[in-house]
């Protein structure tokens, strides 16, 4: 995902794409991480539950 935002920035000069690229870089992610699964089967989070 980070490479995609850089590509969009270089092709279009879109400052939003650059800012997203920099934010992803600061967070140390390349965008390939999976989204966490919901805490419960019905999709509602459990209050106080620790996510792993």
């Amino acid at each position: 995902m980070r490479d995609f935002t850089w590509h969009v920035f270089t092709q279009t000069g879109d400052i939003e794409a650059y800012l997203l690229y920099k934010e992803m870089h600061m967070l140390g992610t390349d965008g390939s991480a999976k989204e966490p699964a919901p805490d419960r089967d019905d999709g509602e989070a459990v209050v106080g539950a620790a996510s792993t």
Side-chain angles (χ1 to χ4, degrees):
M1 182 69 176
R2 191 168 60 185
D3 292 337
F4 175 75
T5 58
W6 180 253
H7 178 73
V8 170
F9 170 67
T10 59
Q11 295 297 311
T12 65
D14 182 25
I15 191 66
E16 294 293 325
Y18 177 74
L19 293 174
L20 180 58
Y21 170 80
K22 290 301 286 184
E23 184 176 349
M24 291 172 67
H25 180 71
M26 294 297 291
L27 293 173
T29 181
D30 63 357
S32 64
K34 294 181 181 177
E35 291 187 23
D39 292 331
R40 293 180 20 183
D41 288 339
D42 61 5
E44 292 187 26
V46 177
V47 175
S51 60
T52 56

